[in-house]
Amino acid sequence: ALEDLGRWPLSVRKLKLLRLVGDQVAAALGYPPGELLPSNVVLGELGLDSVLAVEIHQRLETLTGLRLRAGLV
């Protein structure tokens, strides 16, 4: 859980956050839960556009409870 991140070493926190972001991007693109995005494809080629970027941004703000910069996604 995100509230537990502080107790993990930095390397583990980075992996957990990367997975969180990847899961939210995959969900916004319509991938089934748990399915990983291809790592060798540009997100635009998978269908990521500005509308989906806003959706992902909102998902991440909701999950983290943080106010994120507009250009983050």
Side-chain angles (χ1 to χ4, degrees):
L2 286 177
E3 56 272 0
D4 297 331
L5 276 180
R7 68 185 179 113
W8 295 100
L10 181 59
S11 60
V12 174
R13 281 184 276 181
K14 286 181 179 181
L15 290 173
K16 287 181 176 287
L17 288 171
L18 183 61
R19 181 61 189 254
L20 172 74
V21 172
D23 287 348
Q24 296 312 304
V25 172
L29 290 171
Y31 280 71
E35 186 171 332
L36 298 176
L37 295 171
S39 61
N40 59 342
V41 178
V42 177
L43 291 176
E45 293 175 9
L46 296 175
L48 182 68
D49 59 16
S50 60
V51 173
L52 286 176
V54 170
E55 179 183 336
I56 294 163
H57 184 269
Q58 291 171 343
R59 287 171 177 257
L60 292 172
E61 281 191 335
T62 299
L63 286 170
T64 63
L66 300 172
R67 180 134 172 94
L68 304 173
R69 288 191 336 241
L72 185 65
V73 176

